[in-house]
Amino acid sequence: MSISPLITFKAGQCEIDTSSRPYKVTPQPAKGHIYLYSEDDLVHFCWGERSKPLTDEDNLDLVMVPGDGHFEPYEYKTSDQPSSKTNGRIFVLKFASSSQRHLFWMQSKPQARNGDASWFSPRDLKIGQIVDTLLQGEEVDVPSEIAQVRGGDNDDEDETMEDVEGRGDSSEHHRGGSGGAGPGATGGDVREEGAGAREGGADGGRAAGSGPQDPATIVQNFLNSLKGGKGVQQQAQGQIYTTLPDLLPSSTTIPILDSATPAQIDNLLTYLPPTILLLAQEGSTSIDGMVEPNDASATAALEALSLGQKKSILKRVLRSPQVHQSLGSLTMAIRDGGLPSIAEALGVKLQNGGLVRGGSVPLGGGDAVEAFVEGVKKTVEDKK
């Protein structure tokens, strides 16, 4: 598959050390680039090393649900953490439906006249704005937007802006060094944006003025926006507990597939619509005109696939925005009183049937999600 990027620019990944407080962010030295492309009307947010092709299987490739992701600069001046100053330019990719975060440091030469490596130039901010707009599902005239900040007071090897035009194949973006900040450029401390973001109102490494917001409420507001409705802020019930998208990110589920046995892979495939297996076998990309396969043809399609093909199908499913959305919807349904009926339908054993102890009212909020997770664990343990 060939990729035609919507935009691409030089950036490296950051590693978060959670062994101390505040958490420390360390830039990785690999010369990389961020690039976005569109496939099936969905934007893919990707990162890879510049020495590798855009389609390399080791590249980070996230399928983004419109409106779920945001790409924002981390600016220490807006943080209430005294040690959160950085000495490099960091952007944060964050999600409304989960606490997952990815941090990247700009590898183009900083343009501050006073030598401040953490200063975001108009060029840097424009790149971030373009990426964030694309993640909202909006169309952007990238060349026109980039032209507004072309050049600049301090020229560097990125003056031609080839690293942010997103044209041609990956070989156009592999020349030269990264320029500017070195591996230690963003070694300052910064708050982690996981559980702390929900508990303390931190957002993008800085405190949000509106206070803490429940993740499930964010998911519901997002789903309402897809239907054209307005999100309604709701008071969280009971304790704050994690969401299913947080528990089952692709970074956790994909490695499980890699180590699964053939029998386990075949078992997982039985939960997919047979049409998907038939599409994979025939190498087709469309279901138009395809007859729904019967049990015999579905079994034949499954047996015809290699183990590698089977794992590839499951990985694509786990990375799909539909799975992410479904987990968010399931979390919301559990929180809103649907725990007993959902558990019964899935065969999950719950303590006290998922009801409030001593009563007949279903558990709600974080208590319900925790009861569901504990119920799943107990059900699996009982089957061993």
Side-chain angles (χ1 to χ4, degrees), residues 40-55:
D40 297 331
D41 296 326
L42 290 172
V43 170
H44 290 239
F45 182 102
C46 308
W47 180 89
E49 295 185 21
R50 277 176 260 154
S51 60
K52 297 180 180 179
L54 299 180
T55 54

Side-chain angles (χ1 to χ4, degrees), residues 4-16:
S4 180
L6 301 170
I7 184 173
T8 177
F9 56 95
K10 297 175 182 177
Q13 288 185 308
C14 295
E15 184 178 85
I16 302 177

Side-chain angles (χ1 to χ4, degrees), residues 74-139:
Y74 169 77
E75 298 178 271
Y76 76 92
K77 293 180 180 178
T78 61
S79 172
D80 57 1
Q81 300 297 306
S83 59
S84 62
K85 188 182 188 312
T86 66
N87 55 350
R89 294 158 294 154
I90 296 178
F91 273 89
V92 182
L93 174 65
K94 56 186 181 178
F95 303 85
S97 57
S98 76
S99 62
Q100 185 180 16
R101 296 292 186 266
H102 294 274
L103 274 65
F104 303 92
W105 62 287
M106 301 292 283
Q107 292 182 329
S108 58
K109 185 177 180 180
Q111 297 182 335
R113 292 182 175 180
N114 63 357
D116 183 0
S118 64
W119 182 74
F120 288 93
S121 69
R123 170 188 182 277
D124 299 327
L125 296 175
K126 174 60 69 174
I127 293 173
Q129 180 186 11
I130 292 172
V131 172
D132 189 66
T133 302
L134 289 170
L135 296 182
Q136 309 317 304
E138 301 177 19
E139 294 186 2

Side-chain angles (χ1 to χ4, degrees), residues 267-350:
N267 181 55
L268 289 173
L269 287 172
T270 61
Y271 293 97
L272 297 181
T275 305
I276 294 181
L277 303 179
L278 206 58
L279 285 173
Q281 181 193 15
E282 298 179 357
S284 176
T285 59
S286 173
I287 62 174
D288 294 339
M290 179 173 289
V291 179
E292 182 70 20
N294 53 35
D295 292 341
S297 59
T299 301
L302 181 61
E303 293 176 350
L305 296 172
S306 67
L307 181 60
Q309 288 175 313
K310 294 174 182 179
K311 289 186 176 182
S312 178
I313 293 172
L314 290 171
K315 287 180 180 180
R316 292 190 64 179
V317 170
L318 291 175
R319 289 191 177 109
S320 69
Q322 289 83 359
V323 167
H324 194 80
Q325 275 187 264
S326 296
L327 289 173
S329 299
L330 181 58
T331 301
M332 200 62 208
I334 292 172
R335 292 180 59 85
D336 286 347
L339 175 61
S341 58
I342 291 173
E344 182 180 0
L346 297 177
V348 176
K349 300 177 182 179
L350 299 176

